[in-house]
Amino acid sequence: MKRPTVRAAAPAAPSVTGAPPLDPSRPRATSRAAAPFVLTGLIGVLIALVTPHGDRGDHAWLVPVCYAVALVYLGISLRRDRRTWVDPVGPWLSFLAIMVARDVSGGSASPLGALVAIPSLWLALTGTRRDVWVSSGLTLVVFVAPILVIGPPLYSPTDWLHGLMWTLVTVFIAPEIHRVVGRVHRESARAREAHAEVAGVMRAAHLSSIIASDTHGVITSFSRGAELLLGHRCEHIVGAAVRREALHDPAEIFAAATELGVRPHEVFAELARRDAPPRTWAQLRADGTWAYVRLALTELRDEQGRVTGCLGIAIDSTASVEAERAVARSEATLRAVLQHLPDTTVLMLDEDLTVVAVGGEGAVTQGFTGAEGHPLAELVKPDSLDALTPLVRGAFDGVEGTAELRGGRTDAAHEVTVTPLLPGEDGRRALVIARDVSRERAHEREVLRAKERAERLLSDAPYGVALLTPDGVVLDVNEALCTMVGRPAGTLVGTPFAAVACPKDTTLREHLRAAREAPGTRVEADWSLATPQGREVHTLLSSRLVVGDEDTDDLVLVNVVDVSERRRYEQRLAHLADHDELTGLANRRRFDEELTRHLERCRRHGPDGALLMIDLDNFKEVNDTLGHAAGDQLIVSTAQLLRSRVRSTDVVARLGGDEFAVLLVDADRVAAEAVAHSIVDRVREHAATLEGSRRRVTASVGVVTVRAAHDHDVDILALADMTMYDAKDAGRDGVVVLDEDARRQPRTGARMAWKRRIEDALEDGAFELHLQPILDLRSGEIHSAEVLLRLADADELVPPGRFLDVAEQSGLMPALDTWVVERALGLLASLRRLDPLFRLEVNLSGHSIGDDRVERALVEGLRRHDVEPSALILEITETAAVADVERAREFADRMTALGCRFALDDFGAGFGSFYYLKHLVFDYVKIDGEFVANCHRSGIDRTILRSIVGIARDLGKQTVAEFVAEPAILEIVGAEGVDLAQGYDVGRPTTYDDFVARYLPGAATAA
């Protein structure tokens, strides 16, 4: 904060009233200074007024009147700028007021006599020495006059002693007070004048920053120069308790504190104490940038020599500091460049061939570090010195020279350049720059060797290699390419490479254009060339444009690989992808494509053609009795027979196993039926010529015209498949043709109707799940059941036997089993809430084993319903497992890893029961009802039952007896060691609610 300027007062002219001028050695009275005196006097007046007056009270009114008059004069005095006769009148009148106050408040007994100190002290502080002496006389009058005028008893004769004491006080003490106050006032005035002078100096010092701080480092003065230099306002610094070190770089403060051995906030005080020479500091400007100053510090002391702070005078040296730093950076950069020139040694030599300066990274490698002052002869070998000396002497004469020498610690090859320097005070100088070129020479040798290797690789490569111009003219070829094209190198070099291509083949021209457009990138193309002998060679071209430099032209490197054999192999693979490997007929993939294309043509031009589905009867017996080799021979001969019975435009395919299909692309119902009958007859005639079981092989053919499939609005393959099964159901070795009027074919129509009913039931949720209890024969309790499917049709529950065959044949079983699995897992979750030990058996069709939809429904359903996987038992019938043993095994392994259990259903119904029991993973064996239903009557059935139980027990598997319809049967299966029983005697299939009510009543009640 800027301090007010205190100016020295000029001598005052005499007033018009003749009053003396204002005494500059005396402080001017102020209202604030008078307030305590006036207040004390007022208290005295109040005491005088409230004290009992006795017979003296008739003139008590004089006390406030006298005091008021005194205050009026005091007020007039305070309002004037100069001293006048009025100044002492007020205090003098107050003596009269005090004398009257004593009189009315008890005379000698009044305590108000002490009030005489108020005007005496006021005049000692503000009046002249004459005023002080007058006040001494008035003090004596206050005490003595009443004794003389009024006398006893109100005033004691000894009261003059009190007056004498107060008079002595005013005579001796008041003048001393007057003297001390005058001296203090004069010194204060001198201090203000000195401060004003310092402030003026600081305001005028614009080029220097002057900052003063107290002993605590708090800034007390901030000059105008400091404001201009640092951008801070004085009022923002002074009085805001800002410390001097706040304007400096903390890092510099810390470094200086470490140097001086003091704390950071003591740095500037210590420098001032030591009278340290000026040093450069960084100071923070208001805009956040740094100013560099040259700062001198000195201590500030008072009159007693005590330190009161320190004063810092700083000169802006930012420009010089930045210039010095720029020079230092330039020198450091130059030094760094010289010191880090890679593989380069820099020597400066004088005329005596003595090293003056050393630089470059190579100097360290070659052992020249610290070589300043040493002669060149100590650093290089004699032979190198002999070669280098003439170059240096020439440089002294202003001629630059170069040479390649070996030397230094590594004895590496160096390319040496000697350059003359401008002569200076120290004479002529030469600069020797030696660059290590050993790696470059090694690289050149490696390039030469690489070129030789490349030439050898070119000549010895097992595939063709050609070097061409960008336009395709042959520059060079290797022997392998000459062999490939059947021409010697002499006839190829200098000719267009396209000359060896097959006629009208433009592949090479496009290939070279692609290589030119993408320099350095490999481009590939298939290309066929022709040999002089007329043989066509299929090749793969792999080319890259090699961009040359200013000394070499661009060229194209072409690798030519003979892929004729690979192409033949790919063509073979392509053929196998669309054809059956055994018969050479189209496979299912190719047949589906051909059928799709034909149906698309029919949609555009009208329905035409027919589809024949052919299945060999009794073929499995051939495989089982004569082996698969005999079966394969029969399949091949049948394929040849079929191909011979149709036109070349028709499509014959083997769909799998012993199933074939023929697409007659241009045939009506009559023609298709005739072809079908001829196929049946021909297969029968052909089988009659064979031996053994092959003689019984016949063919069942289903015929569906495209028009019939269009009228029925059903997939033609599904129709043909069902029609073929109609032929089998009709006794085999025959033909069934689907009429365009489906009502004239009841069996096929029924299958189609059932297929629609099944699809509608799946969509509408018309299926129901019933539960049949399974009895644990050891505990006599029911903790499991089998899920059975029913179709709700009007008021009838249709059993699965009436629609499962159609579902199997029409490919609906995976969707049906998915529906069953999803609902069954929900039932299982509900049942386990009633009985935590409950298990549920679910049947899977052979078509569903390994199906992604069914497996996904199992996994997601177990997770969604939070069902323990071991509570789910999947039943796979023996016949379903027989269809694909490996697929059943893989499916069982995945589900077993998940935690599910498996049961082999209808065990004993087929020929391979024990084979599948050995090779498949099952936890339960469900004995076919054929051996259970009559075991109480037939000894053979009971013996078979006993053997199955024994085998299962030995294998660690549990057994389930099906078709337990009577108590006698239940008793026998229990006696033979069967673990579980299922049948009408245990319980009939029923709904979920009825099952819970009948077989889990306790659990339902608890729930």
Side-chain angles (χ1 to χ4, degrees):
M1 180 180 299
K2 297 178 67 176
R3 300 180 184 272
T5 302
V6 179
R7 297 175 181 167
S15 68
V16 294
T17 60
L22 181 65
D23 185 0
S25 66
R26 309 302 302 167
R28 189 73 180 103
T30 63
S31 299
R32 182 175 180 182
F37 294 88
V38 174
L39 180 60
T40 305
L42 286 175
I43 294 174
V45 172
L46 292 175
I47 294 174
L49 293 177
V50 298
T51 303
H53 303 142
D55 58 353
R56 310 295 293 177
D58 54 347
H59 57 275
W61 57 273
L62 289 175
V63 176
V65 171
C66 293
Y67 194 70
V69 173
L71 291 180
V72 169
Y73 277 98
L74 178 63
I76 294 172
S77 172
L78 294 176
R79 292 173 62 87
R80 295 190 177 187
D81 293 335
R82 299 174 62 81
R83 178 175 295 279
T84 65
W85 63 270
V86 178
D87 291 348
V89 173
W92 290 341
L93 288 176
S94 64
F95 282 102
L96 177 60
I98 295 170
M99 186 170 60
V100 176
R102 288 186 71 235
D103 185 63
V104 299
S105 61
S108 295
S110 174
L112 299 181
L115 292 178
V116 296
I118 295 176
S120 299
L121 184 57
W122 174 258
L123 292 173
L125 294 175
T126 64
T128 64
R129 183 173 295 274
R130 183 190 63 181
D131 297 337
V132 174
W133 289 115
V134 172
S135 67
S136 300
L138 292 177
T139 299
L140 183 61
V141 171
V142 169
F143 287 96
V144 175
I147 299 174
L148 298 176
V149 176
I150 301 173
L154 185 61
Y155 293 96
S156 171
T158 60
D159 202 22
W160 67 272
L161 295 175
H162 293 89
L164 180 60
M165 283 301 299
W166 281 109
T167 301
L168 292 176
V169 168
T170 58
V171 168
F172 292 106
I173 296 179
E176 184 62 24
I177 293 175
H178 180 273
R179 185 184 63 79
V180 171
V181 170
R183 188 180 64 183
V184 170
H185 179 69
R186 287 191 297 273
E187 291 178 354
S188 298
R190 284 197 297 271
R192 286 193 296 270
E193 291 175 358
H195 179 75
E197 292 176 359
V198 171
V201 170
M202 293 185 68
R203 283 194 303 273
H206 289 183
L207 300 180
S208 299
S209 168
I210 303 175
I211 301 175
S213 59
D214 60 17
T215 55
H216 300 291
V218 177
I219 297 175
T220 58
S221 178
F222 199 76
S223 73
R224 177 59 179 165
E227 289 182 334
L228 295 175
L229 175 62
L230 301 180
H232 297 286
R233 298 294 300 275
C234 176
E235 54 266 27
H236 297 160
I237 299 295
V238 177
V242 176
R243 300 181 65 87
R244 180 187 290 272
E245 53 266 23
L247 301 178
H248 288 259
D249 184 357
E252 285 187 348
I253 297 292
F254 182 79
T258 304
E259 172 192 343
L260 300 174
V262 296
R263 288 176 292 184
H265 68 273
E266 299 173 345
V267 167
F268 295 106
E270 180 65 17
L271 290 173
R273 186 188 67 82
R274 295 186 182 188
D275 196 17
R279 63 168 65 183
T280 301
W281 295 87
Q283 289 188 332
L284 183 65
R285 292 192 178 106
D287 60 2
T289 61
W290 293 98
Y292 298 97
V293 299
R294 192 71 174 170
L295 178 62
L297 294 164
T298 185
E299 290 183 323
L300 294 177
R301 297 177 179 270
D302 60 12
E303 294 180 353
Q304 286 73 33
R306 292 173 299 188
V307 176
T308 60
C310 71
L311 179 70
I313 302 176
I315 298 176
D316 186 2
S317 60
T318 303
S320 61
V321 169
E322 290 180 349
E324 291 174 0
R325 292 188 175 184
V327 171
R329 284 194 298 269
S330 299
E331 292 179 352
T333 302
L334 180 59
R335 190 178 301 109
V337 169
L338 291 176
Q339 291 296 333
H340 296 88
L341 285 174
D343 301 327
T344 302
T345 302
V346 180
L347 301 176
M348 183 183 295
L349 305 177
D350 61 12
E351 293 184 87
D352 297 330
L353 300 187
T354 300
V355 177
V356 177
V358 179
E361 285 187 352
V364 178
T365 306
Q366 303 303 329
F368 292 166
T369 304
E372 292 86 348
H374 291 266
L376 182 63
E378 295 181 4
L379 304 180
V380 299
K381 294 181 178 180
D383 54 346
S384 297
L385 181 63
D386 294 340
L388 187 58
T389 299
L391 296 178
V392 176
R393 297 299 182 190
F396 291 147
D397 296 332
V399 179
E400 183 177 294
T402 59
E404 185 167 317
L405 306 173
R406 305 186 69 87
R409 180 186 298 170
T410 60
D411 195 31
H414 285 73
E415 185 180 76
V416 181
T417 300
V418 184
T419 302
L421 297 177
L422 294 176
E425 296 179 356
D426 298 329
R428 294 181 296 179
R429 295 283 190 271
L431 186 67
V432 179
I433 302 175
R435 186 170 62 89
D436 188 344
V437 294
S438 57
R439 279 182 290 187
E440 293 182 12
R441 300 298 178 259
H443 177 69
E444 292 172 358
R445 291 191 294 272
E446 181 60 31
V447 168
L448 180 60
R449 288 193 292 270
K451 181 180 179 181
E452 294 173 352
R453 288 196 299 269
E455 292 175 351
R456 287 198 301 272
L457 288 174
L458 176 66
S459 61
D460 299 340
Y463 50 83
V465 180
L467 291 178
L468 312 178
T469 66
D471 296 331
V473 177
V474 179
L475 299 175
D476 195 8
V477 294
N478 68 346
E479 186 62 30
L481 182 59
C482 294
T483 302
M484 188 185 304
V485 301
R487 295 176 175 85
T491 62
L492 293 175
V493 174
T495 62
F497 195 41
V500 301
C502 292
K504 299 181 180 180
D505 189 340
T506 61
T507 301
L508 182 64
R509 182 170 64 251
E510 297 298 325
H511 178 70
L512 292 177
R513 182 178 61 81
R516 290 194 301 270
E517 292 176 352
T521 303
R522 186 180 65 182
V523 294
E524 295 182 349
D526 292 322
W527 186 48
S528 297
L529 56 86
T531 67
Q533 295 77 23
R535 183 172 62 89
E536 184 177 356
V537 181
H538 298 285
T539 66
L540 174 64
L541 298 179
S542 176
S543 304
R544 187 189 306 269
L545 177 67
V546 181
V547 179
D549 52 27
E550 56 186 19
D551 298 325
T552 59
D553 297 328
D554 296 347
L555 56 86
V556 181
L557 175 64
V558 183
N559 294 316
V560 186
V561 180
D562 186 349
V563 294
S564 301
E565 186 63 29
R566 189 182 76 182
R567 184 165 182 174
R568 286 190 290 272
Y569 179 70
E570 290 173 348
Q571 292 173 345
R572 172 63 177 164
L573 289 179
H575 178 80
L576 292 177
D578 291 334
H579 294 78
D580 177 59
E581 184 178 5
L582 180 63
T583 63
L585 298 177
N587 58 15
R588 177 178 286 276
R589 174 179 172 276
R590 176 67 178 275
F591 185 77
D592 287 342
E593 292 176 353
E594 295 291 341
L595 179 60
T596 300
R597 280 195 289 269
H598 180 73
L599 294 177
E600 184 62 31
R601 285 196 299 269
C602 291
R603 275 191 288 273
R604 292 196 302 268
H605 307 293
D608 189 18
L611 176 63
L612 279 59
M613 189 68 70
I614 305 160
D615 188 81
L616 298 182
D617 307 320
N618 304 315
F619 178 76
K620 184 176 183 299
E621 186 178 343
V622 174
N623 273 341
D624 291 345
T625 58
L626 300 180
H628 289 282
D632 289 346
Q633 291 178 358
L634 181 58
I635 291 296
V636 171
S637 61
T638 302
Q640 295 172 349
L641 184 150
L642 292 176
R643 194 180 289 110
S644 67
R645 306 307 299 172
V646 298
R647 295 166 296 189
S648 60
T649 56
D650 298 327
V651 181
V652 182
R654 181 189 179 198
L655 302 185
D658 59 346
E659 191 174 48
F660 298 87
V662 176
L663 174 62
L664 304 174
V665 297
D666 183 18
D668 56 12
R669 181 181 183 279
V670 175
E673 186 174 5
V675 172
H677 280 292
S678 68
I679 290 174
V680 170
D681 295 341
R682 189 71 185 89
V683 169
R684 185 190 315 111
E685 293 170 1
H686 174 68
T689 64
L690 303 177
E691 298 179 354
S693 57
R694 289 180 291 184
R695 297 174 60 87
R696 293 190 291 276
V697 172
T698 57
S700 296
V701 182
V703 180
V704 179
T705 64
V706 176
R707 181 175 298 278
H710 178 268
D711 293 342
H712 285 287
D713 193 22
V714 178
D715 179 69
I716 191 171
L717 270 174
L719 285 174
D721 193 60
M722 288 189 289
T723 306
M724 181 267 292
Y725 277 103
D726 282 350
K728 283 185 174 293
D729 293 344
R732 306 186 180 185
D733 191 22
V735 176
V736 172
V737 182
L738 178 65
D739 197 281
E740 295 175 5
D741 184 1
R743 292 172 296 179
R744 299 181 61 183
Q745 293 289 342
R747 184 178 297 111
T748 300
R751 281 199 180 96
M752 292 173 59
W754 269 111
K755 179 176 181 293
R756 292 194 187 95
R757 288 177 66 182
I758 294 171
E759 291 172 340
D760 292 343
L762 282 172
E763 184 176 351
D764 300 336
F767 287 107
E768 294 182 3
L769 294 183
H770 285 207
L771 302 175
Q772 185 174 21
I774 299 175
L775 177 67
D776 188 331
L777 294 177
R778 289 185 176 82
S779 64
E781 297 176 349
I782 293 175
H783 293 291
S784 60
E786 180 178 356
V787 173
L788 300 176
L789 184 64
R790 300 290 186 266
L791 173 61
D793 189 4
D795 296 332
E796 177 187 11
L797 285 178
V798 182
R802 292 176 55 186
F803 57 82
L804 284 185
D805 285 344
V806 177
E808 292 274 3
Q809 295 172 14
S810 60
L812 292 176
M813 279 311 298
L816 197 58
D817 281 345
T818 299
W819 187 93
V820 171
V821 166
E822 291 174 347
R823 273 75 180 171
L825 288 173
L827 292 179
L828 179 57
S830 300
L831 290 167
R832 284 182 69 83
R833 283 194 288 271
L834 302 175
D835 180 4
L837 301 178
F838 202 87
R839 297 183 301 277
L840 199 62
E841 297 184 2
V842 179
N843 286 282
L844 291 182
S845 165
H847 292 78
S848 300
I849 297 173
D851 184 87
D852 291 340
R853 291 172 295 173
V854 177
E855 190 167 338
R856 187 165 53 251
L858 283 167
V859 175
E860 293 179 356
L862 289 169
R863 183 178 63 252
R864 183 171 61 254
H865 295 291
D866 195 20
V867 174
E868 175 62 36
S870 61
L872 179 64
I873 302 172
L874 301 174
E875 290 190 14
I876 301 178
T877 62
E878 181 196 333
T879 52
V882 167
D884 192 338
V885 176
E886 186 59 32
R887 189 178 184 185
R889 189 208 311 274
E890 294 174 356
F891 174 74
D893 289 342
R894 290 194 298 272
M895 292 299 100
T896 300
L898 190 63
C900 298
R901 300 182 182 183
F902 281 85
L904 181 60
D905 199 11
D906 298 332
F907 184 81
F911 296 106
S913 298
F914 294 106
Y915 173 82
Y916 299 115
L917 187 64
K918 174 182 177 181
H919 289 89
L920 298 177
V921 178
F922 292 102
D923 303 284
Y924 298 89
V925 174
K926 300 194 74 170
I927 304 170
D928 189 71
E930 178 70 22
F931 307 114
V932 178
N934 294 307
C935 66
H936 60 305
R937 299 190 186 96
S938 170
I940 295 176
D941 287 350
R942 184 166 182 173
T943 300
I944 294 175
L945 174 67
R946 183 184 305 118
S947 65
I948 293 175
V949 172
I951 293 172
R953 183 183 297 113
D954 290 343
L955 295 177
K957 305 181 188 302
Q958 291 185 285
T959 51
V960 183
E962 299 180 302
F963 289 86
V964 179
E966 301 177 20
I969 300 175
L970 183 62
E971 182 179 350
I972 288 177
V973 297
E976 294 298 339
V978 176
D979 300 296
L980 304 165
Q982 179 182 355
Y984 284 178
D985 186 58
V986 177
R988 292 176 177 271
T990 184
T991 62
Y992 171 82
D993 294 335
D994 187 54
F995 181 88
V996 172
R998 288 187 183 185
Y999 304 109
L1000 301 174
T1005 302

